[in-house]
Amino acid sequence: MTFMQEYLEPINRVAGHYRSKIEELGLELRHSTDFELFMDETERMGFEPTPHFAPRFNAFFRDEAFWVGIYDQAKCVATVACKRQPLGSETLASYAKRSWTRYYTPDSKNPVVFQKDQKPFLERMRGTLCYCGEYRVLPKFQKQGIGQLLAAYIKPAAWSYWPETDLFYIFMENKDVRSGLMAAIELSTQIKNALQWVQHPSQAKHDYWLGAINRSEFLGWLKDELRSPAVQAPSMSPEMENLLVS
């Protein structure tokens, strides 16, 4: 048993708590590894999906990536997606250059060029990472707090899939950071202008922040959550204990 596998019961308990909070609103939370469906649902919501999870660029094995949809009956009203990135000795800076150039160059109106050097955090970060993206909530449901509940759910859900994860991270537009979204997701590391460009893709932004939480920081967050009386109370039905149930 690995170090993080010892924490799977409390991880599932916290994730189950937030899943229950979402379902108390009359909504349904579904997991899926079908990214063709993900693209369809995102477009039906009126959002443009990014290439980071698009089947055009990714051929995920079943255990490499998943997405979560929150449904109001048959209508998807919120999404988030995660994928495992076992970088090993490669740095996040190197991987970001390779992957973003591959994803965005074919449709960019201008060349996609990174600066040679990236921020120190990206240059030194290695290991097994989890990238989280496609965080979308329809405006009507933002007012119900769905986004914050989904953000609280996805961190333990991702670690339950991949207990060996060293770092969970996202990229976020500056406008969303300024609106308080980064703070709501509760990520310990926050880096402004995390990606250093010579020329950014025409269909993407140049002012992304990076938000991240490493394993030890996640365990600290988890312990804080477990102190809550609401989380301590038994709230999961047996079928909720398996987070992979759709």
Side-chain angles (χ1 to χ4, degrees):
M1 178 180 292
T2 67
F3 174 73
M4 279 300 293
Q5 284 174 329
E6 297 176 10
Y7 287 87
L8 285 181
E9 188 278 329
I11 286 172
N12 283 345
R13 193 190 322 161
V14 171
H17 166 72
Y18 283 105
R19 182 171 189 159
S20 295
K21 297 291 287 184
I22 291 168
E23 293 176 345
E24 285 171 9
L25 297 172
L27 303 171
E28 181 184 0
L29 188 150
R30 303 178 190 173
H31 282 239
S32 178
T33 56
D34 183 346
F35 281 91
E36 294 286 358
L37 175 61
F38 167 77
M39 298 292 283
D40 292 341
E41 296 288 33
T42 302
E43 291 171 357
R44 274 194 284 267
M45 290 170 66
F47 296 111
E48 182 177 355
T50 73
H52 293 274
F53 292 90
R56 174 185 173 191
F57 296 102
N58 302 278
F60 295 123
F61 292 108
R62 186 177 182 128
D63 64 350
E64 287 183 315
F66 71 96
W67 65 277
V68 173
I70 295 179
Y71 284 78
D72 180 15
Q73 298 182 15
K75 182 179 181 181
C76 188
V77 301
T79 65
V80 67
C82 293
K83 61 181 176 181
R84 179 175 178 268
Q85 296 174 331
L87 300 189
S89 61
E90 183 178 17
T91 67
L92 179 55
S94 170
Y95 178 76
K97 289 178 185 178
R98 288 196 300 108
S99 59
W100 282 64
T101 301
R102 177 173 177 265
Y103 289 151
Y104 286 100
T105 295
D107 298 319
S108 180
K109 295 177 182 177
N110 46 253
V112 178
V113 183
F114 280 86
Q115 290 185 10
K116 179 181 178 181
D117 296 321
Q118 296 295 307
K119 293 290 182 74
F121 182 87
L122 276 75
E123 293 284 10
R124 67 173 179 263
M125 184 49 58
R126 296 174 168 85
T128 300
L129 279 52
C130 172
Y131 171 66
C132 179
E134 312 296 335
Y135 184 53
R136 318 282 191 193
V137 183
L138 290 179
K140 173 184 174 182
F141 292 86
Q142 293 171 9
K143 299 175 183 178
Q144 299 183 35
I146 297 301
Q148 193 160 358
L149 292 173
L150 183 57
Y153 173 81
I154 198 62
K155 285 183 295 195
W159 252 286
S160 77
Y161 271 82
W162 305 304
E164 74 281 10
T165 297
D166 297 307
L167 184 84
F168 174 100
Y169 76 101
I170 67 172
F171 288 107
M172 184 177 291
E173 292 180 32
N174 182 62
K175 66 179 179 63
D176 293 325
V177 175
R178 298 304 182 192
S179 71
L181 186 55
M182 182 77 81
I185 297 176
E186 296 185 75
L187 299 175
S188 306
T189 298
Q190 300 179 21
I191 300 174
K192 184 179 181 180
N193 293 323
L195 298 173
Q196 303 293 286
W197 305 100
V198 173
Q199 181 65 62
H200 68 277
S202 61
Q203 69 274 41
K205 305 294 183 182
H206 71 281
D207 60 353
Y208 290 107
W209 288 59
L210 180 141
I213 184 168
N214 66 29
R215 183 187 302 172
S216 63
E217 293 164 343
F218 168 72
L219 289 177
W221 175 85
L222 186 71
K223 290 173 183 177
D224 284 342
E225 291 292 306
L226 290 169
R227 293 188 184 101
S228 165
V231 174
Q232 291 173 11
S235 60
M236 284 189 294
S237 61
E239 64 269 18
M240 287 184 187
E241 292 178 0
N242 182 356
L243 297 178
L244 309 188
V245 172
S246 296

